[in-house]
Amino acid sequence: MSKITITDLQKMKQDGQKITAITAYDATFAKLFDDEGAQVLLIGDSLGMVLQGGDDTLAVSMDEMVYHTRCVVRGASKALVVTDMPFMSYATPEQTYQNAARLMAAGARMVKMEGGDWLCESIRHLTRNGVPVCGHLGLTPQSVHVFGGFKVQGRDEFHAQEIYRQALELQAAGIQLLVLECVPVALAERISKALRIPVIGIGAGPATDGQILVMHDAFGITSGYVPKFTKNFLAETGDMRAAIRLYVQQVSEGTFPGPEHCFN
Ligand code: KIV
Ligand code: NA
């Protein structure tokens, strides 16, 4: 069974086929999501919240990301495996290279970093040295304390324009995939159309090239505050495998996200 590559995702964008991504942190769920056709598995630093019980993602270490990457890689036979660079693991270019190398050695096939044009030097260096990079703009959770909470980003014209500009700069620097989190539908649509590379949305409406969810949210088992953009696929199916099958199906056919999951 051949593995999904960035070239396949690029082709999906060109053909107007939606990409389904989901987070995974262990081999068993990785295998289930892979079996059911998710094209991208993200070892998200959201594990600081959903696995470790933290209020944010800031306490997650490189060692933890390496460990969970190893676990997921063993369960993934097709999907493209992407791992988050955790908080403060890419604060300087030198540190970025060393930490990205560790994630690639653990089996990641791409690394994800949150932020805008200040990352361009690191992105250029990584891609030149064989490390594919995924960008992440909009609500970047590692900056939650700068934002003053988990809030929708790019609501006014000035900030929307800023996110749009950053997306183009990241693409020019060499990112091959972009996650856009919690931005208004119209902004996500504008960015997805402007970029050559696939844009994966979460809380960014239906016009992106694909969708991602935190797996616990897709199963409706997240405790505490449940964001508006998520959907409990387990409620409709009563079975984990069927829930993920439904998620993949609804993303593919464009019925998820619906208007009730969007910000305008
Ligand atoms: O950490 C994570 O799970 C993420 C996704 C929500 C995009 O970054
Ligand atoms: Na993350």
Side-chain angles (χ1 to χ4, degrees):
M1 201 167 14
S2 69
K3 301 222 184 223
I4 292 166
T5 66
I6 187 61
T7 314
D8 297 317
L9 301 183
Q10 188 67 57
K11 187 165 186 307
M12 287 181 76
K13 171 166 183 146
Q14 279 151 9
D15 296 346
Q17 272 177 271
K18 300 283 185 185
I19 298 163
T20 309
I22 187 164
T23 68
Y25 315 99
D26 68 32
T28 302
F29 281 112
K31 182 168 187 318
L32 192 151
F33 302 156
D34 190 289
D35 283 349
E36 295 308 324
Q39 286 95 12
V40 178
L41 298 181
L42 173 73
I43 298 97
D45 63 350
S46 51
L47 67 84
M49 299 169 79
V50 294
L51 299 193
Q52 300 173 346
D55 291 333
D56 56 44
T57 60
L58 273 53
V60 177
S61 70
M62 268 301 301
D63 286 347
E64 288 161 353
M65 296 310 290
V66 166
Y67 169 79
H68 287 284
T69 300
R70 286 205 187 104
C71 295
V72 166
V73 162
R74 291 186 191 122
S77 49
K78 273 200 86 178
L80 181 78
V81 174
V82 182
T83 301
D84 269 343
M85 303 275 294
F87 182 65
M88 284 295 159
S89 70
Y90 51 106
T92 68
E94 194 51 44
Q95 186 197 25
T96 308
Y97 315 148
Q98 282 171 8
N99 286 326
R102 286 188 65 197
L103 297 176
M104 294 297 282
R109 287 298 162 256
M110 182 178 275
V111 302
K112 178 161 82 56
M113 298 191 281
E114 297 181 7
D117 51 8
W118 56 94
L119 296 175
C120 286
E121 183 191 343
S122 294
I123 292 165
R124 275 189 216 97
H125 190 82
L126 286 176
T127 51
R128 279 192 202 121
N129 284 281
V131 180
V133 181
C134 177
H136 187 158
L137 290 171
L139 171 52
T140 45
Q142 291 171 17
S143 299
V144 60
H145 302 299
V146 175
F147 297 143
F150 293 100
K151 294 175 181 162
V152 179
Q153 299 295 305
R155 275 205 190 269
D156 61 81
E157 191 44 48
F158 175 82
H159 287 112
Q161 186 54 33
E162 185 59 15
I163 294 170
Y164 178 80
R165 185 184 68 77
Q166 300 280 2
L168 289 174
E169 293 213 15
L170 292 178
Q171 176 178 263
I175 62 163
Q176 291 175 286
L177 202 60
L178 176 67
V179 168
L180 212 46
E181 179 163 351
C182 289
V183 297
V185 174
L187 175 61
E189 178 163 15
R190 192 167 153 234
I191 292 173
S192 303
K193 282 186 176 151
L195 296 193
R196 277 178 278 110
I197 60 166
V199 177
I200 310 291
I202 173 163
T208 53
D209 306 302
Q211 300 291 330
I212 184 162
L213 281 180
V214 169
M215 56 164 278
H216 296 66
D217 289 343
F219 289 136
I221 54 170
T222 309
S223 59
Y225 175 72
V226 177
K228 165 183 180 172
F229 55 79
T230 68
K231 177 170 170 177
N232 179 351
F233 290 90
L234 192 55
E236 279 178 52
T237 52
D239 169 82
M240 285 187 170
R241 189 170 287 280
I244 296 309
R245 192 172 304 150
L246 185 63
Y247 170 53
V248 174
Q249 184 195 321
Q250 295 197 349
V251 171
S252 309
E253 67 191 20
T255 49
F256 177 80
E260 68 276 27
H261 305 115
C262 296
F263 303 106
N264 291 301

